[in-house]
Amino acid sequence: MKPTNTLFSSLGTTIFTVMSQLAVEHQSINLGQGFPDGNGPADVRTMAATFLEDRPNQYPPMMGDPDLREAVAVHAQRFYGLDVDWRQEVMVTCGATEALAACLLGLINPGDEVILLEPLYDCYLPMVRLAGGVPKFVQLKPPHWELPRSELTAAFGAKTKAILINSPMNPAGKVFTEEELAFIAELITRYDAYAICDEVYEHLVFDGRKHHPLMCQPGMRGRSARIGSAGKTFSLTGWKVGYVTAPPAILHTAAKAHQFLTFTTAPNLQRAVAYGLGKDDSYFRDLADDLQRKRDSFAAGLSRIGFDVPPTQGTYFLNADFSGLGFDGDDVAFCHHLTTVAGVTPIPVSAFYEGAGPRTFVRFAFCKEDDVLAAALDRLARHFGKK
Ligand code: PMP
Ligand code: GLN
């Protein structure tokens, strides 16, 4: 028989699914795949339930429910002072994943170069390749995840079509500073490129830091697409409601891709997310504060056991260096070992690198109930003889 598509047939299964399956098999505490174990805000779910009963359940408009599109624009003004015309500049997608696909497919012609910062979220590279783009990698490395400015500058060139930026960055936990964003913005302008900004963790930022959209930098309003996700902002990862904000020149073509990718996403979940985006400041503050508290206690516990834990500024992930624990093997072997022997599952950080990446770091998701995090620390402490 003729072979199936070579791009996809040559890919393995995503590391998140692989580790989640292994965790289930070994009844391990799953701190690998990033999803909260709570059920999301009750009022947002109640709104969804009410809407499911009272409102139409047929296809919503292709660009998204108008209430949600307007709410996305109001949210952008409220948090970042961005002036957004929701009729022209906002599209609702099936999660941030589809938003990324639509933006990449809408921007990239075969042969265009796309700059990807490693560590990179797992869907970026296959999507760039699917669009015919040529990836140019620039590596950030733990523990400081500094932006390597000269390498980034060298990666830009006449063929650069776009850069994909994820801030707050999964798995690094890095929140790009305004100064770093200004540096990137200057390169984008100089090379007449676009930016696709994955900002799904925009509200998960700690220690009084602020998330800054690249779109707010000089010259970037007309060159960037900003992507958000209700999955992260409302701890409802299964809902798959995402949104793109972009100038019409970018959004119109991304919409052409969206119409043939998914066309729409569940209308009443969209309506409930519209309600959610209008919640009080206290909701957004408490979300970050609660995660910051979990981060602090989990990081302290890991440090007591002997992990070296660099600070995490945003997202719900932290990275831990296990080289002080005497394990003989790389991060993939370590994750398998922890899952099958200690009963706790992280994700190997090397999975986020296409090139040779760090080999002694693992990522833990701390968006879990306190007792689950405590039980994981307890298992790890016993395993490493610290109990
Ligand atoms: N981007 C990043 C950086 C992520 O971590 C995730 C994980 N969910 C996504 C995009 C996908 O978001 P969604 O579930 O809304 O598709
Ligand atoms: N974004 C999640 C993570 O980084 C995983 C989402 C998925 O499994 N596709 O863990």
mmCIF file of all heavy atoms in Angstrom, residues 320-346:
data_model
loop_
_atom_site.group_PDB
_atom_site.id
_atom_site.type_symbol
_atom_site.label_atom_id
_atom_site.label_comp_id
_atom_site.label_asym_id
_atom_site.label_seq_id
_atom_site.Cartn_x
_atom_site.Cartn_y
_atom_site.Cartn_z
ATOM 1 N N ALA A 320 12.895 21.078 37.612
ATOM 2 C CA ALA A 320 13.768 20.666 38.699
ATOM 3 C C ALA A 320 14.949 19.911 38.117
ATOM 4 O O ALA A 320 14.789 19.018 37.281
ATOM 5 C CB ALA A 320 12.990 19.786 39.676
ATOM 6 N N ASP A 321 16.131 20.290 38.580
ATOM 7 C CA ASP A 321 17.375 19.638 38.153
ATOM 8 C C ASP A 321 17.635 18.488 39.132
ATOM 9 O O ASP A 321 17.740 18.719 40.341
ATOM 10 C CB ASP A 321 18.498 20.681 38.199
ATOM 11 C CG ASP A 321 19.809 20.138 37.657
ATOM 12 O OD1 ASP A 321 19.935 18.900 37.499
ATOM 13 O OD2 ASP A 321 20.717 20.954 37.418
ATOM 14 N N PHE A 322 17.726 17.278 38.577
ATOM 15 C CA PHE A 322 17.890 16.112 39.464
ATOM 16 C C PHE A 322 19.344 15.642 39.548
ATOM 17 O O PHE A 322 19.621 14.581 40.098
ATOM 18 C CB PHE A 322 16.979 14.955 39.011
ATOM 19 C CG PHE A 322 17.242 14.471 37.606
ATOM 20 C CD1 PHE A 322 18.216 13.506 37.355
ATOM 21 C CD2 PHE A 322 16.514 14.988 36.540
ATOM 22 C CE1 PHE A 322 18.452 13.060 36.056
ATOM 23 C CE2 PHE A 322 16.751 14.549 35.239
ATOM 24 C CZ PHE A 322 17.723 13.580 34.995
ATOM 25 N N SER A 323 20.277 16.462 39.029
ATOM 26 C CA SER A 323 21.651 15.925 38.969
ATOM 27 C C SER A 323 22.277 15.724 40.345
ATOM 28 O O SER A 323 23.201 14.926 40.473
ATOM 29 C CB SER A 323 22.547 16.767 38.054
ATOM 30 O OG SER A 323 22.331 18.118 38.248
ATOM 31 N N GLY A 324 21.742 16.391 41.371
ATOM 32 C CA GLY A 324 22.300 16.186 42.708
ATOM 33 C C GLY A 324 21.791 14.924 43.386
ATOM 34 O O GLY A 324 22.187 14.600 44.512
ATOM 35 N N LEU A 325 20.902 14.178 42.719
ATOM 36 C CA LEU A 325 20.267 13.038 43.394
ATOM 37 C C LEU A 325 20.950 11.700 43.093
ATOM 38 O O LEU A 325 20.486 10.647 43.546
ATOM 39 C CB LEU A 325 18.783 12.961 42.998
ATOM 40 C CG LEU A 325 17.918 14.067 43.610
ATOM 41 C CD1 LEU A 325 16.544 14.107 42.971
ATOM 42 C CD2 LEU A 325 17.786 13.846 45.116
ATOM 43 N N GLY A 326 21.987 11.755 42.294
ATOM 44 C CA GLY A 326 22.771 10.536 42.052
ATOM 45 C C GLY A 326 22.138 9.553 41.078
ATOM 46 O O GLY A 326 22.508 8.381 41.045
ATOM 47 N N PHE A 327 21.177 10.004 40.276
ATOM 48 C CA PHE A 327 20.545 9.088 39.318
ATOM 49 C C PHE A 327 21.437 8.924 38.091
ATOM 50 O O PHE A 327 21.936 9.906 37.547
ATOM 51 C CB PHE A 327 19.175 9.640 38.894
ATOM 52 C CG PHE A 327 18.455 8.774 37.909
ATOM 53 C CD1 PHE A 327 17.811 7.611 38.316
ATOM 54 C CD2 PHE A 327 18.433 9.106 36.545
ATOM 55 C CE1 PHE A 327 17.143 6.801 37.399
ATOM 56 C CE2 PHE A 327 17.776 8.299 35.627
ATOM 57 C CZ PHE A 327 17.127 7.153 36.053
ATOM 58 N N ASP A 328 21.584 7.684 37.661
ATOM 59 C CA ASP A 328 22.455 7.421 36.522
ATOM 60 C C ASP A 328 21.592 7.268 35.263
ATOM 61 O O ASP A 328 21.134 6.170 34.957
ATOM 62 C CB ASP A 328 23.257 6.128 36.807
ATOM 63 C CG ASP A 328 24.263 5.854 35.693
ATOM 64 O OD1 ASP A 328 24.587 6.791 34.937
ATOM 65 O OD2 ASP A 328 24.717 4.692 35.581
ATOM 66 N N GLY A 329 21.363 8.351 34.555
ATOM 67 C CA GLY A 329 20.536 8.289 33.351
ATOM 68 C C GLY A 329 20.067 9.678 32.997
ATOM 69 O O GLY A 329 20.269 10.636 33.759
ATOM 70 N N ASP A 330 19.409 9.803 31.824
ATOM 71 C CA ASP A 330 18.971 11.130 31.396
ATOM 72 C C ASP A 330 17.560 11.437 31.918
ATOM 73 O O ASP A 330 16.980 10.654 32.692
ATOM 74 C CB ASP A 330 19.075 11.256 29.867
ATOM 75 C CG ASP A 330 18.094 10.345 29.152
ATOM 76 O OD1 ASP A 330 17.227 9.721 29.816
ATOM 77 O OD2 ASP A 330 18.177 10.247 27.907
ATOM 78 N N ASP A 331 17.016 12.561 31.477
ATOM 79 C CA ASP A 331 15.714 13.001 31.999
ATOM 80 C C ASP A 331 14.570 12.058 31.608
ATOM 81 O O ASP A 331 13.623 11.867 32.373
ATOM 82 C CB ASP A 331 15.426 14.452 31.571
ATOM 83 C CG ASP A 331 15.440 14.666 30.060
ATOM 84 O OD1 ASP A 331 15.988 13.816 29.324
ATOM 85 O OD2 ASP A 331 14.898 15.695 29.598
ATOM 86 N N VAL A 332 14.681 11.446 30.425
ATOM 87 C CA VAL A 332 13.619 10.511 30.000
ATOM 88 C C VAL A 332 13.641 9.285 30.917
ATOM 89 O O VAL A 332 12.599 8.854 31.443
ATOM 90 C CB VAL A 332 13.815 10.098 28.517
ATOM 91 C CG1 VAL A 332 12.787 9.060 28.099
ATOM 92 C CG2 VAL A 332 13.741 11.330 27.611
ATOM 93 N N ALA A 333 14.844 8.772 31.150
ATOM 94 C CA ALA A 333 14.981 7.610 32.038
ATOM 95 C C ALA A 333 14.521 7.975 33.452
ATOM 96 O O ALA A 333 13.844 7.182 34.124
ATOM 97 C CB ALA A 333 16.435 7.141 32.055
ATOM 98 N N PHE A 334 14.837 9.195 33.863
ATOM 99 C CA PHE A 334 14.462 9.632 35.212
ATOM 100 C C PHE A 334 12.938 9.685 35.358
ATOM 101 O O PHE A 334 12.378 9.251 36.366
ATOM 102 C CB PHE A 334 15.096 10.999 35.505
ATOM 103 C CG PHE A 334 14.925 11.470 36.914
ATOM 104 C CD1 PHE A 334 15.614 10.866 37.963
ATOM 105 C CD2 PHE A 334 14.078 12.531 37.208
ATOM 106 C CE1 PHE A 334 15.459 11.304 39.283
ATOM 107 C CE2 PHE A 334 13.914 12.978 38.515
ATOM 108 C CZ PHE A 334 14.606 12.372 39.554
ATOM 109 N N CYS A 335 12.248 10.210 34.341
ATOM 110 C CA CYS A 335 10.778 10.291 34.398
ATOM 111 C C CYS A 335 10.161 8.886 34.437
ATOM 112 O O CYS A 335 9.172 8.654 35.151
ATOM 113 C CB CYS A 335 10.237 11.077 33.203
ATOM 114 S SG CYS A 335 10.573 12.841 33.348
ATOM 115 N N HIS A 336 10.722 7.974 33.668
ATOM 116 C CA HIS A 336 10.218 6.595 33.711
ATOM 117 C C HIS A 336 10.477 5.980 35.074
ATOM 118 O O HIS A 336 9.614 5.316 35.653
ATOM 119 C CB HIS A 336 10.857 5.752 32.602
ATOM 120 C CG HIS A 336 10.189 5.948 31.285
ATOM 121 N ND1 HIS A 336 10.424 7.059 30.489
ATOM 122 C CD2 HIS A 336 9.258 5.211 30.626
ATOM 123 C CE1 HIS A 336 9.659 6.990 29.402
ATOM 124 N NE2 HIS A 336 8.947 5.875 29.458
ATOM 125 N N HIS A 337 11.654 6.228 35.592
ATOM 126 C CA HIS A 337 12.019 5.688 36.896
ATOM 127 C C HIS A 337 11.082 6.232 37.979
ATOM 128 O O HIS A 337 10.511 5.472 38.767
ATOM 129 C CB HIS A 337 13.478 6.053 37.193
ATOM 130 C CG HIS A 337 13.927 5.694 38.558
ATOM 131 N ND1 HIS A 337 14.300 4.402 38.910
ATOM 132 C CD2 HIS A 337 14.037 6.437 39.687
ATOM 133 C CE1 HIS A 337 14.623 4.386 40.188
ATOM 134 N NE2 HIS A 337 14.477 5.597 40.684
ATOM 135 N N LEU A 338 10.898 7.549 37.997
ATOM 136 C CA LEU A 338 10.035 8.140 39.033
ATOM 137 C C LEU A 338 8.614 7.594 38.922
ATOM 138 O O LEU A 338 7.962 7.305 39.930
ATOM 139 C CB LEU A 338 9.992 9.659 38.910
ATOM 140 C CG LEU A 338 11.166 10.464 39.464
ATOM 141 C CD1 LEU A 338 10.756 11.930 39.623
ATOM 142 C CD2 LEU A 338 11.653 9.934 40.797
ATOM 143 N N THR A 339 8.132 7.448 37.688
ATOM 144 C CA THR A 339 6.758 6.977 37.501
ATOM 145 C C THR A 339 6.602 5.532 37.966
ATOM 146 O O THR A 339 5.658 5.196 38.696
ATOM 147 C CB THR A 339 6.359 7.073 36.005
ATOM 148 O OG1 THR A 339 6.524 8.422 35.593
ATOM 149 C CG2 THR A 339 4.925 6.638 35.770
ATOM 150 N N THR A 340 7.527 4.692 37.557
ATOM 151 C CA THR A 340 7.347 3.255 37.808
ATOM 152 C C THR A 340 7.808 2.843 39.202
ATOM 153 O O THR A 340 7.271 1.901 39.769
ATOM 154 C CB THR A 340 8.111 2.417 36.749
ATOM 155 O OG1 THR A 340 9.488 2.821 36.754
ATOM 156 C CG2 THR A 340 7.554 2.635 35.359
ATOM 157 N N VAL A 341 8.764 3.573 39.777
ATOM 158 C CA VAL A 341 9.295 3.152 41.086
ATOM 159 C C VAL A 341 8.824 4.068 42.221
ATOM 160 O O VAL A 341 8.388 3.595 43.269
ATOM 161 C CB VAL A 341 10.846 3.077 41.047
ATOM 162 C CG1 VAL A 341 11.385 2.522 42.354
ATOM 163 C CG2 VAL A 341 11.327 2.229 39.880
ATOM 164 N N ALA A 342 8.894 5.396 41.993
ATOM 165 C CA ALA A 342 8.508 6.308 43.087
ATOM 166 C C ALA A 342 7.017 6.639 43.068
ATOM 167 O O ALA A 342 6.453 7.057 44.072
ATOM 168 C CB ALA A 342 9.319 7.594 42.976
ATOM 169 N N GLY A 343 6.353 6.488 41.914
ATOM 170 C CA GLY A 343 4.918 6.776 41.844
ATOM 171 C C GLY A 343 4.600 8.258 41.665
ATOM 172 O O GLY A 343 3.543 8.742 42.107
ATOM 173 N N VAL A 344 5.487 8.999 41.025
ATOM 174 C CA VAL A 344 5.228 10.411 40.696
ATOM 175 C C VAL A 344 5.701 10.623 39.256
ATOM 176 O O VAL A 344 6.786 10.172 38.888
ATOM 177 C CB VAL A 344 6.003 11.370 41.632
ATOM 178 C CG1 VAL A 344 5.735 12.826 41.250
ATOM 179 C CG2 VAL A 344 5.626 11.134 43.091
ATOM 180 N N THR A 345 4.869 11.318 38.466
ATOM 181 C CA THR A 345 5.195 11.462 37.036
ATOM 182 C C THR A 345 5.456 12.914 36.641
ATOM 183 O O THR A 345 4.542 13.739 36.681
ATOM 184 C CB THR A 345 4.026 10.915 36.187
ATOM 185 O OG1 THR A 345 3.844 9.542 36.532
ATOM 186 C CG2 THR A 345 4.309 11.039 34.696
ATOM 187 N N PRO A 346 6.688 13.237 36.262
ATOM 188 C CA PRO A 346 6.958 14.531 35.625
ATOM 189 C C PRO A 346 7.113 14.346 34.111
ATOM 190 O O PRO A 346 6.815 13.272 33.578
ATOM 191 C CB PRO A 346 8.287 14.961 36.251
ATOM 192 C CG PRO A 346 8.963 13.678 36.675
ATOM 193 C CD PRO A 346 7.960 12.545 36.607
#
